[in-house]
């Protein structure tokens, strides 16, 4: 089923005009829809006693589909212009400072979960003592906690592997082939200044070298995004429907408010948005 019936995103995706500006438009539309989902989630959390479990499951699935739509769309733009996706113009400089390979660090999902769980546990401590839990994130069972801990350890290992691969790829910008090529082109530029030598003769080598670096970045960014979404999806599968509702509320609130606050900081410092 389509999760964005009114966004027109398919028109953007099929128009052949995939560039950073159109992804900016897509992202802003996606945020509007995330805010709409947040309102639905909050309403469901407040009426959970009167909302049946199947309705909650459908709502949770719609929100999860919305995230999946984002990553599928992003993957297409990554293949178009990976450099723009790694240096996004649609986020604030504050958000940029906390990015990990073009997005949120997957292990943040667990910090978010534990923070919200702790808040809700504290809120209902008296009720829990009387054996009357609310069924939200303050009521995580021992089995759930065990599965979450296992997932967290696995995610951190994969995150580390991707970070190490990114570090190795970044170091490759100064490997022997790049140093030799940069020296050769610099020498030709100097000779060109002196003797009118055509520097463009090495253009193909330069383009080939840069394309190779971009291809490596695409592979790493796509793998990072795959881990981000897989982590989110697995967390949701561990939680029950109402817990998933509360987790998605916390995730949307944090994302939307940080984006908003970051834009305000940029405006304060007269940075272009």
């Amino acid at each position: 089923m389509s999760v964005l019936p009114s966004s027109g995103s398919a028109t953007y995706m099929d128009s052949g005009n995939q560039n950073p500006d159109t992804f900016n438009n897509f992202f802003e539309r996606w945020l509007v829809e995330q805010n709409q989902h947040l309102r639905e989630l909050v309403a469901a959390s407040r009426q959970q006693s009167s909302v049946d479990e199947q309705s909650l499951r459908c709502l949770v699935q719609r929100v999860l589909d919305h995230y999946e739509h984002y990553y599928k769309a992003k993957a297409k733009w990554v293949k178009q212009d990976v450099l723009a996706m790694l240096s996004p113009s649609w986020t604030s400089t504050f958000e940029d400072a906390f990015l990990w390979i073009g997005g949120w660090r997957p292990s943040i999902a667990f910090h978010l979960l534990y923070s919200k769980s702790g808040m809700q546990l504290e809120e209902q401590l008296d009720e829990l003592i009387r054996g009357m839990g609310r069924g939200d994130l303050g009521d995580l069972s021992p089995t759930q906690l065990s599965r979450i801990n296992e997932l967290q350890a696995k995610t951190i290992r994969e995150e580390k592997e991707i970070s190490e691969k990114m570090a190795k790829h970044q170091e490759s910008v100064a490997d022997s082939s790049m140093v030799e090529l940069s020296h050769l082109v610099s020498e030709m530029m100097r000779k060109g200044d002196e003797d009118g030598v055509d520097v463009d003769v090495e253009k193909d080598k330069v383009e080939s070298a840069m394309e190779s670096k971009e291809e490596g970045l695409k592979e790493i960014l796509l793998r990072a995004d795959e881990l981000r979404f897989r982590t989110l999806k697995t967390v949701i599968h561990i939680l029950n429907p109402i817990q998933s509702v509360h987790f998605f509320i916390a995730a949307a609130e944090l994302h939307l408010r940080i984006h908003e606050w970051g834009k305000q900081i940029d405006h304060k410092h007269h940075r272009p948005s």
Side-chain angles (χ1 to χ4, degrees):
M1 64 180 290
S2 172
V3 296
L4 297 177
S6 63
S7 71
S9 59
T11 302
Y12 280 107
M13 297 306 301
D14 297 335
S15 66
N17 186 28
Q18 295 177 351
N19 55 54
D21 287 335
T22 57
F23 188 82
N24 194 341
N25 292 335
F26 166 80
F27 179 71
E28 290 301 324
R29 297 168 82 93
W30 191 89
L31 285 183
V32 170
E33 287 155 348
Q34 184 182 42
N35 198 44
Q36 173 59 37
H37 284 152
L38 176 58
R39 288 193 288 269
E40 295 176 29
L41 290 162
V42 170
S45 71
R46 290 175 176 172
Q47 303 166 10
Q48 67 179 78
S49 60
S50 60
V51 179
D52 64 276
E53 185 171 306
Q54 185 56 36
S55 296
L56 289 177
R57 289 186 186 279
C58 288
L59 174 57
V60 167
Q61 189 59 52
R62 284 202 307 274
V63 176
L64 190 60
D65 287 346
H66 190 235
Y67 280 98
E68 184 175 18
H69 178 72
Y70 171 83
Y71 285 111
K72 284 183 176 179
K74 184 181 176 185
K76 294 183 179 181
W77 267 287
V78 167
K79 294 171 184 176
Q80 247 349 75
D81 189 352
V82 65
L83 300 181
M85 305 308 289
L86 285 168
S87 302
S89 61
W90 44 90
T91 55
S92 65
T93 52
F94 181 84
E95 292 170 284
D96 292 345
F98 292 90
L99 291 183
W100 174 80
I101 312 181
W104 55 275
R105 188 175 284 274
S107 53
I108 284 179
F110 304 100
H111 293 283
L112 174 68
L113 176 61
Y114 290 134
S115 294
K116 188 67 174 182
S117 176
M119 288 171 55
Q120 293 188 325
L121 178 61
E122 186 175 348
E123 289 171 1
Q124 59 175 307
L125 195 55
D126 290 340
E127 296 172 45
L128 285 173
I129 292 173
R130 298 196 304 271
M132 300 171 58
R134 300 177 186 172
D136 57 20
L137 293 173
D139 279 344
L140 291 173
S141 70
T143 299
Q144 286 178 310
L145 287 170
S146 176
R147 292 177 65 190
I148 290 167
N149 286 336
E150 289 176 8
L151 177 62
Q152 182 177 19
K154 182 175 182 291
T155 300
I156 290 173
R157 285 196 301 270
E158 291 190 57
E159 196 177 275
K160 183 179 178 182
E161 289 174 7
I162 298 172
S163 292
E164 289 174 350
K165 186 167 185 176
M166 184 61 158
K168 186 175 181 180
H169 190 64
Q170 289 172 328
E171 290 168 359
S172 75
V173 79
D175 63 19
S176 58
S177 63
M178 290 294 286
V179 172
E180 181 180 357
L181 182 59
S182 64
H183 173 69
L184 177 61
V185 172
S186 297
E187 280 293 297
M188 294 189 69
M189 290 175 67
R190 285 188 282 269
K191 289 181 180 178
D193 290 340
E194 298 170 1
D195 306 322
V197 175
D198 185 6
V199 183
D200 288 340
V201 294
E202 296 299 325
K203 184 177 179 181
D204 289 344
K205 288 184 180 180
V206 172
E207 289 183 352
S208 177
M210 298 300 285
E211 286 174 6
S212 173
K213 301 306 177 191
E214 286 191 47
E215 286 302 316
L217 292 172
K218 288 178 187 178
E219 179 185 344
I220 294 168
L221 177 49
L222 289 172
R223 184 177 170 187
D225 279 345
E226 191 275 334
L227 179 59
R228 277 185 267 266
F229 180 65
R230 176 158 43 89
T231 300
L232 177 65
K233 184 167 62 173
T234 308
V235 166
I236 293 303
H237 286 169
I238 293 172
L239 303 177
N240 65 36
I242 192 60
Q243 289 171 339
S244 297
V245 165
H246 285 284
F247 178 79
F248 274 140
I249 289 173
E253 287 177 342
L254 186 65
H255 182 219
L256 291 167
R257 297 296 77 79
I258 286 181
H259 183 68
E260 175 186 318
W261 297 335
K263 292 290 187 182
Q264 291 173 359
I265 292 172
D266 285 347
H267 180 74
K268 179 180 178 181
H269 293 285
H270 306 290
R271 300 187 185 110
S273 57

